[in-house]
Amino acid sequence: MKKWKRYIAEFIAILISGFVAIPLYLVVINSFKTKADAAEMSLSLPKVWNVLKNYEEVLKAAKIPQAFWNTSVVTVGSIIVLIILCSLTAFIIQRRNSATTRITEMLIITGIILPITVITTFYLMDSLGLVRTYMGVILLYVSGNFAFTTYLYISFIKGIPRELDEAAMIDGIGRVSLFFKIIFPLLKPATATAVIVAFMSIWNDFFTPFYFLNTASRYTLSVTIYFFMGQHSSDWNLVFANIVIVSFPVIILYLFMQRYIISGLTAGAVKS
């Protein structure tokens, strides 16, 4: 009976994987085809392999190098600020048992479910002179991911005993050194999870750079897909090649670090 349950579970897993793998295969294989073959949207192998030609044309037409630089600056900058700010905030909230920190924690949890109003945010950013700037978009991404990332760190820090802090303080270590030299290295699973989740959401985001980096020289990779598809709506081979280029860094990062997602999300809950 247990074998049948295992077989059923494996069959369901394969079926679900197929729903993900088939569209991915469709995009990749059609990015290698000619314009006429790609228009058929079939799963067959290309009759003529236009690998270099398609991707070279996309790199030039969609201004991928500049868009890649813009996306990298925004993504890396946001993640660095997010990790440092959220880990410090979580450490203070978790270690200080006061009414202020409890209220702050409740506000942070509330921030997970509150939506962002685009019009109000745009007028605020415009009044501060942050529209069409890297800094403005980085601040938006940090604020948008702050609640989830901080709560993730809070859950994980609960599993780190306070005796470790006390022993370090007795040895004469300062508060800043205590965090960065002792506590932060122990937060690797949570940090890896925060980096992956933030990277995927920021790298693939369309609306924030579209509204707040509304200039051609600052377009990110996700925005190039939108404009490239508008200009080449009949060139599905080029559109698919553009999608592959944009998605490739996210797929590679996820494949190498996917095991940290589960460990980072569950470690704090298990220890606490």
Side-chain angles (χ1 to χ4, degrees), residues 66-173:
Q66 180 62 42
F68 183 86
W69 168 254
N70 296 336
T71 309
S72 300
V73 170
V74 171
T75 304
V76 175
S78 301
I79 290 176
I80 291 174
V81 176
L82 191 68
I83 295 302
I84 296 175
L85 183 62
C86 293
S87 59
L88 283 169
T89 303
F91 180 67
I92 294 172
I93 290 175
Q94 209 285 318
R95 288 301 195 248
R96 291 185 181 178
N97 188 18
S98 64
T100 303
T101 55
R102 288 195 295 269
I103 293 173
T104 304
E105 183 176 0
M106 292 300 298
L107 290 175
I108 290 174
I109 295 174
T110 305
I112 297 177
I113 61 175
L114 289 179
I116 297 177
T117 306
V118 176
I119 297 176
T120 306
T121 304
F122 183 86
Y123 279 113
L124 175 62
M125 298 291 288
D126 189 45
S127 64
L128 296 174
L130 294 174
V131 176
R132 300 182 183 89
T133 64
Y134 290 133
M135 181 58 66
V137 174
I138 288 173
L139 290 175
L140 284 175
Y141 282 132
V142 171
S143 61
N145 292 277
F146 179 81
F148 171 79
T149 307
T150 303
Y151 189 70
L152 175 66
Y153 275 117
I154 290 174
S155 300
F156 194 87
I157 292 174
K158 287 180 180 179
I160 301 177
R162 293 176 180 268
E163 290 77 10
L164 188 64
D165 304 13
E166 297 170 358
M169 297 294 287
I170 292 174
D171 290 339
I173 193 171

Side-chain angles (χ1 to χ4, degrees), residues 5 18 22-23 41 86 89 144 147 150 156 172 189 210 220 244 248 257:
K5 290 182 179 179
I22 292 175
M41 298 291 179
C86 293
T89 303
T150 303
F156 194 87
F210 180 77
T220 58
V244 172
F248 186 75
M257 302 185 69

Side-chain angles (χ1 to χ4, degrees), residues 199-214:
F199 184 92
M200 293 178 68
S201 63
I202 296 172
W203 190 275
N204 293 322
D205 184 47
F206 169 79
F207 291 102
T208 301
F210 180 77
Y211 287 114
F212 296 95
L213 285 178
N214 193 13

